[in-house]
Amino acid sequence: MMNLKEVVSSRRPTLLQIIILLTILQLLVTLLTNGFALSFDEAMWHYIGRNWFRHGMVPYSGGIDNKSPLIFVIFGLSDTLFGVNYWFPRVLATACQSISIYYIYKIAKHIAGQQAGMLAISFFGLSLLWHGTGGRYVAFTETYEVMFIAIAVYKYLTAQNKKDVLISGLMAGLGLGFRLSAIFGILTLIISSLRKSRIYTVTFCAGVSLSILFLASAGFFAGINLHSFLTYGLADNFGTGSTTDHSLLWKLENFSDKFFYSEIILFYPLVLAYIFIKRKVDLFILWLVLEFIGINIIGIYDTVHLKDLLALLSLMSAFTITWLVNVHKVPVKPVMVIIWLTFFPKLLEPLVNIKKILIGGTGPVEKYGIRPYIKPGEGSRKELGLWIKANTTSQDKVFVAGFGAQVQAYSERISPTVYFNATQTRIAKETFFHDMQINKPAMILVPLFSEYEQLVSADMRQFVNELIQKNYYLYKTMYNYNIYRAKK
């Protein structure tokens, strides 16, 4: 018979059980969302991916966004397999995120043992679910970037020969293929390898280069123009009218919101303790500094950008607690319980939606057609897109003014312009005016809610209004959009 100690030990959750639990929690958070629809960014990627897979319109000619073609592949495949849906990309990304969790465990275990590994995945897996770190937005490029960089770091740390280092570089290169911010993880490994061996550095860089060469070749044969990729994916993201064009006050407010008024502050005491314990810049501190610099260079401070920091914060926190347990004999079980209670995400929205599914009922009714005009929720934007699909032909072009990617995606209609969302750089405006002049759509939707005037420049709004006055008539109003049809 087992003694009491053996019984207690046998009841400890296993690595597989924790990963399964975290995976289930992620699916609850990401699938049971209000609206049960594609988010704004997902809708953009679905639209571009669908145009690519369904109509042969390659990225940057069938729709422009500043993301990697790899994310368009995922959403194009999703459309090919299941039509317009939000669940497949999120389930696939959740599986990839679980792989990240596993490799964070392996990194921590390699550095500080089994206990550190279990602590690290508790920190990491739970923090990924927070609202303040974009928990529901798992199907973003950050998920894939973090997965490949985590694998790269583990292969680098455990490398026994140049082959392992080469594999590390290959994985890091794939991470870069999904998101350019992976460069900061890559720089960390390059600097670290310089301290070890120049041969390791050359081999690692060779692996990164091979991945980039492979992805570039695949893009070339798919018909993607390299100049277009560099222009729309990189160069046109800075400057007037770009996604990073915000005032210093806006940036300070968003920086404070993400770093001082979100759940991420829970990490700070343990991370500071780690820095104090180490008293030198090791791989993890260097990596954290570079990632933090990267987030500030981009300067948007989106919640999902914090995902680049969570693995590091989790590892450093796990190492700190492991040190406390080993040096000061702090009992680990109560600490683990405290971690789960403190870091556990708020599940109000998924639980409410489970109730709706099981016993019916709806939330607050959105009131349309009365002032002040509200912006329709994701579910309403989905319904509007489906209405457009039912009331137009598959050959009709439809333009949704402003930021209407969700309406556009669910309508399954092609926009007359590659800038189907209101990007407002010089290049974007010139292209938008040109496209709309030569490809007049059968239907135009113009928002009544204030976001349109607040976020879309006056010259673009004026252009759309003049086009409507000459060629369109008001057909009806739905979900606080005026819907115009082309005159016969």
Side-chain angles (χ1 to χ4, degrees), residues 435-447:
D435 289 348
M436 292 292 287
Q437 287 284 8
I438 65 173
N439 297 311
K440 291 184 174 62
M443 182 180 286
I444 295 177
L445 284 79
V446 178

Side-chain angles (χ1 to χ4, degrees), residues 155 159 161-172 200 202-208 210-211:
K155 294 299 294 183
N161 48 50
K162 288 190 292 185
K163 178 183 176 182
D164 293 334
V165 178
L166 181 67
I167 293 173
S168 174
L170 290 169
M171 293 296 104
Y200 270 29
V202 171
T203 305
F204 176 80
C205 291
V208 174
L210 285 172
S211 280

Side-chain angles (χ1 to χ4, degrees), residues 143-164:
T143 296
Y144 300 96
E145 171 209 356
V146 169
M147 177 184 71
F148 283 114
I149 291 297
I151 297 172
V153 170
Y154 174 73
K155 294 299 294 183
Y156 170 80
L157 290 173
T158 60
Q160 300 294 318
N161 48 50
K162 288 190 292 185
K163 178 183 176 182
D164 293 334

Side-chain angles (χ1 to χ4, degrees), residues 357-419:
I357 293 170
L358 294 177
I359 64 175
T362 59
V365 177
E366 295 175 324
K367 295 181 180 180
Y368 298 112
I370 59 175
R371 296 179 184 273
Y373 298 113
I374 63 169
K375 180 180 178 180
E378 291 183 343
S380 296
R381 279 171 269 169
K382 172 183 176 180
E383 291 301 318
L384 180 56
L386 294 174
W387 180 88
I388 294 170
K389 178 183 177 181
N391 288 272
T392 56
T393 69
S394 58
Q395 289 76 37
D396 286 339
K397 287 184 168 60
V398 173
F399 174 68
V400 185
F403 298 90
Q406 287 150 309
V407 179
Q408 193 82 54
Y410 280 102
S411 74
E412 299 189 52
R413 298 294 177 257
I414 296 175
S415 172
T417 173
V418 291
Y419 282 102

Side-chain angles (χ1 to χ4, degrees), residues 18 120 172:
I18 291 180

Side-chain angles (χ1 to χ4, degrees), residues 412-482:
E412 299 189 52
R413 298 294 177 257
I414 296 175
S415 172
T417 173
V418 291
Y419 282 102
F420 60 100
N421 273 299
T423 308
Q424 298 169 82
T425 62
R426 179 187 59 81
I427 294 174
K429 286 185 178 182
E430 290 176 356
T431 304
F432 169 75
F433 295 146
H434 174 266
D435 289 348
M436 292 292 287
Q437 287 284 8
I438 65 173
N439 297 311
K440 291 184 174 62
M443 182 180 286
I444 295 177
L445 284 79
V446 178
L448 293 171
F449 42 91
S450 60
E451 181 193 66
Y452 181 54
E453 290 190 2
Q454 292 170 354
L455 300 181
V456 179
S457 63
D459 56 341
M460 295 182 74
R461 288 185 280 113
Q462 181 180 352
F463 176 86
V464 172
N465 289 338
E466 291 176 353
L467 186 66
I468 288 171
Q469 290 172 7
K470 292 178 182 178
N471 303 285
Y472 296 84
Y473 68 95
L474 179 63
Y475 178 68
K476 67 184 306 181
T477 300
M478 292 180 66
Y479 299 110
N480 288 342
Y481 275 89
N482 278 340

Side-chain angles (χ1 to χ4, degrees), residues 157-462:
L157 290 173
T158 60
Q160 300 294 318
N161 48 50
K162 288 190 292 185
K163 178 183 176 182
D164 293 334
V165 178
L166 181 67
I167 293 173
S168 174
L170 290 169
M171 293 296 104
L174 292 175
L176 186 66
F178 271 97
R179 186 170 173 79
L180 293 178
S181 60
I183 190 64
F184 300 103
I186 291 172
L187 282 174
T188 301
L189 295 180
I190 290 175
I191 294 171
S192 179
S193 66
L194 285 170
R195 298 173 178 175
K196 288 186 175 182
S197 166
R198 287 188 178 181
I199 295 177
Y200 270 29
T201 305
V202 171
T203 305
F204 176 80
C205 291
V208 174
S209 300
L210 285 172
S211 280
I212 294 172
L213 180 61
F214 168 76
L215 294 174
S217 299
F220 173 80
F221 287 112
I224 297 173
N225 184 280
L226 179 60
H227 179 265
S228 295
F229 169 72
L230 293 175
T231 298
Y232 303 123
L234 183 61
D236 208 34
N237 291 315
F238 300 92
T240 304
S242 69
T243 56
T244 60
D245 182 22
H246 298 287
S247 68
L248 178 60
L249 178 60
W250 184 95
K251 292 187 176 185
L252 289 174
E253 289 176 346
N254 279 270
F255 177 90
S256 298
D257 183 52
K258 302 306 184 297
F259 287 101
F260 296 111
Y261 298 103
S262 73
E263 302 99 320
I264 202 168
I265 63 173
L266 295 173
F267 281 112
Y268 294 171
L270 292 171
V271 171
L272 289 173
Y274 177 85
I275 295 171
F276 177 79
I277 292 167
K278 284 292 179 178
R279 300 192 182 187
K280 65 177 182 179
V281 179
D282 65 356
L283 182 143
F284 299 103
I285 294 175
L286 174 64
W287 189 6
L288 179 65
V289 170
L290 291 176
E291 291 288 2
F292 183 72
I293 291 172
I295 288 175
N296 283 280
I297 289 174
I298 297 170
I300 299 175
Y301 305 111
D302 200 323
T303 54
V304 293
H305 293 176
L306 298 182
K307 292 180 187 290
D308 285 335
L309 297 175
L310 292 182
L312 290 160
L313 298 174
S314 299
L315 286 165
M316 296 166 78
S317 297
F319 296 150
T320 297
I321 291 181
T322 301
W323 182 85
L324 291 171
V325 168
N326 293 335
V327 174
H328 297 284
K329 308 303 179 185
V330 177
V332 71
K333 286 184 183 178
V335 172
M336 186 68 82
V337 171
I338 292 171
I339 290 170
W340 275 78
L341 290 175
T342 305
F343 281 68
F344 200 83
K346 298 179 179 69
L347 296 178
L348 180 61
E349 184 178 322
L351 292 175
V352 169
N353 285 323
I354 288 175
K355 179 183 176 182
K356 291 179 183 177
I357 293 170
L358 294 177
I359 64 175
T362 59
V365 177
E366 295 175 324
K367 295 181 180 180
Y368 298 112
I370 59 175
R371 296 179 184 273
Y373 298 113
I374 63 169
K375 180 180 178 180
E378 291 183 343
S380 296
R381 279 171 269 169
K382 172 183 176 180
E383 291 301 318
L384 180 56
L386 294 174
W387 180 88
I388 294 170
K389 178 183 177 181
N391 288 272
T392 56
T393 69
S394 58
Q395 289 76 37
D396 286 339
K397 287 184 168 60
V398 173
F399 174 68
V400 185
F403 298 90
Q406 287 150 309
V407 179
Q408 193 82 54
Y410 280 102
S411 74
E412 299 189 52
R413 298 294 177 257
I414 296 175
S415 172
T417 173
V418 291
Y419 282 102
F420 60 100
N421 273 299
T423 308
Q424 298 169 82
T425 62
R426 179 187 59 81
I427 294 174
K429 286 185 178 182
E430 290 176 356
T431 304
F432 169 75
F433 295 146
H434 174 266
D435 289 348
M436 292 292 287
Q437 287 284 8
I438 65 173
N439 297 311
K440 291 184 174 62
M443 182 180 286
I444 295 177
L445 284 79
V446 178
L448 293 171
F449 42 91
S450 60
E451 181 193 66
Y452 181 54
E453 290 190 2
Q454 292 170 354
L455 300 181
V456 179
S457 63
D459 56 341
M460 295 182 74
R461 288 185 280 113
Q462 181 180 352

Side-chain angles (χ1 to χ4, degrees), residues 105-119 319 322:
Y105 163 81
K106 290 175 73 73
I107 291 170
K109 182 183 177 183
H110 174 74
I111 297 295
Q114 168 84 10
Q115 189 169 263
M118 301 298 274
L119 289 165
F319 296 150
T322 301

